[in-house]
Structures are given as structure tokens and as C-alpha cells.
Amino acid sequence: MTAIQPKTDTTAIVVRNPADGRVVGTVPIETSEAVAAKARELRLFQPEWAALGPRGRKRWLLKYQDWVLDNAEHIIDVVQSETGKTRADASGEPANTASLLDYWAGHAEQFLTDEHPRSFNPLAMTKKLTTTYRPYPVVGVITPWNFPFLMPGLDLVPALAAGAAVLLKPSEVTPLSAVEFVRGWTEIGAPPVLALATGYGATGAAVIANADFVQFTGSTATGRKVAVACAERLLPYSLELGGKDPALVLADADLDRAANGIAWGGMFNSGQVCVSVERVYVEAPVYDEFVAKLTANVRRLRQGQDDRTFAFDVGALATSAQRDIVQRHVDGAVAAGARVVTGGKPTGTGTFFEPTVLVDVDHSMACMTEETFGPTLPVVKVADEAEAIRLANDSVYGLSATVWTGDKERGERIARQLDVGAVNINDVLSNAFACDVPMGGWKQSGVGARWGGAAGVLKYCRPQAITSPRVPTQSKELLWYPTARRRVKFALGLLRASAARGVRRFGVAPRAAR
Ligand code: NAD
């Protein structure tokens, strides 16, 4: 779906700005041999990186954070050049990456600290127990095109903080931002534990063939292929996939805030956000007023290519294929009886599609069931809260949702009935700024999750158990050979006593079992 040119050239990808068709760069198509060679080199340097420990790695991550902040304007230029985003949409990418570097560099030491639980089982009570976390040597990070600088940062930063080396495969649509990402790492003189593999799906497949853990973000269709390839190698993986996120607007909501938030949540990044609002359910008593406010908000959005001026609200779509999907969803809905209240067609320039609000839609339409990933907001009138919840859950996806209500407790109660990985109450996208909580999709929106405090680093590690004696040892343990009834009875008696609930089961086994 993401091909941007006929694959006539087998050695290079020519990258174009989708807003105006200009050629903005070229990257090589890495062969599977080249990818394997990069992975081998990462394996050489990863042990030293791991040996630096979280404090040593923190120094490099913070030096890289400085580089990101110092080069932010240039990074934003590159992001805009290959995505056609507005300045505002592109500006968050380096800033959020810098924030993630701060978080994982600052917390990794605490998250990776060995644990020493006391044993529950009396037969292990004489042991010092340790759980230690050792990184996967090479983590493959495969990313999509919607946030080409930030998206690698979401996942490879905690992987590096864990002590893994990372092989990054960016989208063929937007590889230039990833080139910048890795250039910065090299420029600060950091250990060579971050490598780039550019190319199409075959290059991604080569990354899987050479990695020890795969972190994939992209469409559900490709995610399924990635899962199969990982299963073949018995590789652990984590998948962040597509979504069809519902917004539930209840009659007691602050309708101005809901209409402002949903306009932004649906149109930010031209709707090309995994957790953007893709469908809206509104309680009947406020439906007309809400639709009027939302339509007014969407109608006044300014659309265009603004370079560094911040003159526009909504930019281009990343590919013409993406624009065609949006058009198919809108045209299909209209053909089945939906009404366009604003927008509804391509602007005719580049890949721009007008910010669109649709009404009279239902779940027989692709715009309500398939991921659109574009600037459309289909709105449905529902009788009550129960119908809103039922329709919100009627989806193969389960990424995130928003609930708009004047009663926060009601919002939390509804959140717990929604089958999604995250719910934002009276806000949109807020969980995407909070790496302290997990960001993961349910159902066909993903497997596993990114972030979630300690879990965000520990997912890139293999937990290892170590036991060692806490008390002076004898020449034999109780259960070692030769078998002796007295010792076996004593050892297992201890276990039985500790597991017994009540005196009747404390001492000896019932007669029938002896
Ligand atoms: P895509 O699935 O087409 O491509 C994603 C990446 O996979 C690209 O780098 C591509 O080259 C690579 N790839 C393709 N075939 C492969 C294969 N067989 N093996 C390994 N890698 C392969 O996705 P896209 O169109 O680039 O991105 C848009 C999708 O990403 C949307 O569905 C969106 O919802 C999703 N997304 C999800 C999240 C999330 O956190 N859940 C975030 C951003 C985007």
C-alpha cells in the first residue's frame, strides 16, 4: 500500500514530497545480505553497550537528546519534506523524541534493577533469589510513515536504554527522517549500536530474519505477516497496529470542548494518527448541536503547504494511495446514503483531501468499519450511553477511545466497558504523551504494548533467574540421592505444611493417598 513509485529501480528509493511531487531525496534499497552484515556488526558492539550499564548509556542518550534539540528545525524541515505535513504537525516530532530520551535515560537504572524476592516455597527459602534483566542483543524496529522521526523514537529509545542494539527499518515512504535519526547518533560519536536498513517490505523481512526481538508498528495486514515470520523463527515480537477509534459524546458533555477536541483528534496530522478519532457516537439530545459545532470547526480549518510559517492547520496525505482510500470511504458512504456536511473530496493539489464531516452513516459502511487514516469524521446519533458503548465495541479494532462527559466518574465507568487499550476522558491523544502508562492495541490493533513505565524497557530484556545459597551448604541437599524415605517425607512435609489451609491437611496425607 505504501509504494511511492513503480519499483523499476531495484537499488534506490526516490522520495518525493506528496504535497507538490518534488523529489526530496534518495536512499538505497538494502539487500538481505547487507541487512545481515549490519546485524552482525551490531552484535559485535552490543555487549560493550550493555556493559556500560544504564548510567553509561544515559550519558549517550542525553547527549543525543541535545543533538535532537539543537537540530530540531532541520529535522522538522526533513519531516515536512517527505510527508507534506504542516509545520505544526511536524514540530512535535523532535520535541517529543527529546522528552522520551529524557524519560528512558532517567528511569532505566531504576527499571532495570535486579529484584530479590523471598521465596514462597520452603524448599527455596535457603536461597538468595535474583531476577535480572538482560537485553536482547539485536532489536529490529520496523516503522510506518505517519511520524517518521518520532515513531522510531517511541520504540528504539527504550530498547537502547535497555542495552540492546537496534536495527531500524523505516517506511519506504519516509526514510529521510530516519536517515537523520541515525546520522545524529553517529555524529555525537555514540557506540555503533544503532543501524539503518532502508528499503521496502523485503528489507523489513530481512530485519526479522536477523533480529532477536521485533518491534513492529504499521498496518494490521503487514503486522499479521510479521507475526507469521516471527513465529517461524520463534522470535518474540510486539505489534502496534491500526485502529478505528470511537469518540462517545454524552448529553452532559461540554459540547464546545468535545467539538474542539474531536476536530483536532480527527484532523491532526491529516487524520494519519493510529489513535486519531475515526468515528463519533453522539447521544440524541445533543446530536444536532454537536454536529453544528463540529462542522463549523472543521469548515474553518486552513489547509495547505506552509513550510516554516505555521500558516495552515491541515496538510497533505503521505501518499496518493492513502488519499485514494479516504476517497473510497467517503464515496462509498455517500453512495449508501450518507451526507457530506463539509469537505468530501480531494483538493486537486498533491495528495490533499478536504477535512470532511459525514452524517447519516452506519456500520454497513467502510468509513465506519475499516481504518481510514485520513481527515474524515463520520458521526452517528445514538439513543443512549448503552448504544454508544455497544457500537464503539462493534469493531475488529481496539486501539483507543475517547469519552466526553460532564461527569468524570461516569467517564471512567464507561472507559472500563470499552474494549480498547486506552481511553482518554474529555481529551484526545493524551495517552500518546504518557509513556508512564502502556500504549497498546487490543483485538486486531496489536499484540503487546509499548511503554508502561518499567514494562517499556523490560520488554526488550530477557528475564533471567539466578539462585544461590543463603546458608552454609552441606555435601547434599535433602532430595539428592540416594533416595531416603525419611528425608523425602521431611522435605515434602515442609512443603505440605506451608501449603496446608487448616489443621486437617497440615501434617500427613489422607490415608487413601499414603
Ligand atoms: P505498513 O504496514 O504498510 O508498513 C509498515 C512498515 O512495515 C514499513 O516500514 C514497511 O516497509 C514494512 N513492511 C512491509 N512489509 C513487510 C514485511 N513483509 N515484513 C516486514 N516489514 C514489512 O504500514 P504504513 O502504511 O506504513 O503505516 C500506516 C499504518 O500504521 C496504519 O494502519 C496505522 O494505524 C499504523 N500505525 C499504528 C500505530 C500504533 O501505535 N498502533 C502507530 C502509527 C501507525
Side-chain angles (χ1 to χ4, degrees):
M1 160 183 129
T2 54
I4 48 169
Q5 60 178 0
K7 293 182 207 167
T8 44
D9 185 346
T10 53
T11 59
I13 295 173
V14 177
V15 184
R16 290 176 185 275
N17 184 330
D20 56 20
R22 244 176 335 126
V23 171
V24 290
T26 308
V27 294
I29 299 173
E30 308 269 12
T31 62
S32 51
E33 292 76 24
V35 173
K38 289 189 178 194
R40 276 197 301 276
E41 181 152 329
L42 289 173
R43 281 181 201 287
L44 288 180
F45 290 98
Q46 184 273 335
E48 263 175 64
W49 178 244
L52 281 179
R55 275 193 212 174
R57 296 194 291 272
K58 177 179 177 178
R59 280 206 306 277
W60 286 112
L61 292 169
L62 293 183
K63 201 166 175 192
Y64 184 64
Q65 182 196 31
D66 287 343
W67 183 91
V68 171
L69 293 171
D70 292 347
N71 290 275
E73 289 303 302
H74 170 68
I75 292 166
I76 298 166
D77 288 343
V78 175
V79 169
Q80 276 188 295
S81 79
E82 61 180 352
T83 58
K85 291 185 193 213
T86 62
R87 194 71 181 173
D89 285 353
S91 292
E93 302 212 22
N96 277 304
T97 304
S99 164
L100 289 166
L101 283 156
D102 206 38
Y103 180 80
W104 297 113
H107 288 77
E109 184 173 12
Q110 171 202 340
F111 293 159
L112 292 167
T113 303
D114 285 357
E115 288 156 21
H116 299 289
R118 285 297 289 261
S119 179
F120 171 77
N121 185 326
L123 298 185
M125 267 175 189
T126 56
K127 306 297 171 195
K128 176 186 167 201
L129 302 183
T130 302
T131 306
T132 192
Y133 296 95
R134 295 179 46 197
Y136 289 103
V138 175
V139 170
V141 174
I142 303 175
T143 55
W145 42 255
N146 58 337
F147 292 97
F149 192 85
L150 174 61
M151 199 54 72
L154 299 187
D155 296 311
L156 73 74
V157 172
L160 288 174
V166 173
L167 185 49
L168 169 63
K169 155 66 181 85
S171 166
E172 57 272 38
V173 178
T174 56
L176 304 178
S177 305
V179 169
E180 292 304 307
F181 203 114
V182 177
R183 182 176 73 79
W185 186 256
T186 311
E187 206 169 288
I188 63 168
V193 289
L194 173 59
L196 182 68
T198 50
Y200 295 94
T203 307
V207 167
I208 298 170
N210 289 280
D212 305 301
F213 181 98
V214 174
Q215 168 63 46
F216 173 84
T217 306
S219 63
T220 297
T222 310
R224 193 170 277 119
K225 289 185 200 160
V226 169
V228 169
C230 288
E232 286 287 343
R233 294 198 55 223
L234 292 181
L235 278 193
Y237 58 85
S238 181
L239 307 176
E240 304 292 334
L241 309 177
K244 190 74 195 170
D245 291 1
L248 287 71
V249 182
L250 305 171
D252 63 358
D254 172 342
L255 290 189
D256 285 319
R257 183 173 173 83
N260 288 333
I262 290 172
W264 188 69
M267 301 299 160
F268 170 63
N269 213 41
S270 302
Q272 302 166 117
V273 186
C274 55
V275 287
S276 63
V277 178
E278 290 241 348
R279 51 197 171 113
V280 187
Y281 302 99
V282 189
E283 276 192 303
V286 295
Y287 175 82
D288 290 336
E289 191 183 347
F290 173 80
V291 170
K293 286 177 188 289
L294 179 69
T295 305
N297 285 343
V298 172
R299 195 170 279 145
R300 73 171 77 93
L301 294 176
R302 300 155 302 167
Q303 188 172 33
Q305 194 177 0
D306 62 2
D307 300 319
R308 287 187 166 193
T309 64
F310 289 88
F312 293 112
D313 303 303
V314 181
L317 292 164
T319 65
S320 52
Q322 195 56 46
R323 183 198 52 210
D324 295 346
I325 292 172
V326 179
Q327 175 135 41
R328 176 168 63 79
H329 285 188
V330 172
D331 292 351
V334 170
R339 256 184 324 120
V340 171
V341 287
T342 185
K345 57 183 187 314
T347 66
T349 306
T351 54
F352 290 93
F353 196 96
E354 293 172 352
T356 299
V357 176
L358 288 163
V359 293
D360 301 338
V361 290
D362 62 43
H363 280 209
S364 69
M365 301 172 184
C367 74
M368 291 298 290
T369 56
E370 294 175 21
E371 184 180 49
T372 306
F373 224 54
T376 61
L377 282 167
V379 189
V380 178
K381 188 194 292 187
V382 292
D384 52 21
E385 175 188 309
E387 188 180 17
I389 294 170
R390 182 176 63 74
L391 289 175
N393 283 337
D394 178 22
S395 173
V396 295
Y397 293 111
L399 198 51
S400 82
T402 63
V403 179
W404 305 84
T405 170
D407 176 349
K408 279 183 279 178
E409 278 176 22
R410 184 185 183 197
E412 293 212 11
R413 184 170 48 74
I414 292 171
R416 287 163 208 274
Q417 297 172 69
L418 295 173
D419 298 334
V420 294
V423 180
N424 297 308
I425 296 166
N426 293 334
D427 204 349
V428 279
L429 311 184
S430 41
N431 72 299
F433 294 101
C435 48
D436 332 67
V437 287
M439 180 187 191
W442 293 11
K443 302 195 271 186
Q444 293 189 24
S445 289
V447 174
R450 61 164 63 94
W451 302 351
V457 166
L458 298 182
K459 72 183 269 191
Y460 295 114
C461 298
R462 299 155 298 180
Q464 183 177 46
I466 301 174
T467 77
S468 74
R470 274 202 302 144
V471 294
T473 51
Q474 310 299 314
S475 63
K476 284 180 191 171
E477 293 286 321
L478 279 175
L479 292 173
W480 291 4
Y481 295 137
T483 302
R485 179 188 165 91
R486 194 173 49 82
R487 279 189 283 111
V488 172
K489 285 274 180 193
F490 178 70
L492 298 185
L494 273 180
L495 191 57
R496 184 187 169 87
S498 79
R501 285 182 295 118
V503 178
R504 198 167 67 82
R505 295 188 180 85
F506 187 81
V508 285
R511 183 168 300 277
R514 268 185 250 164

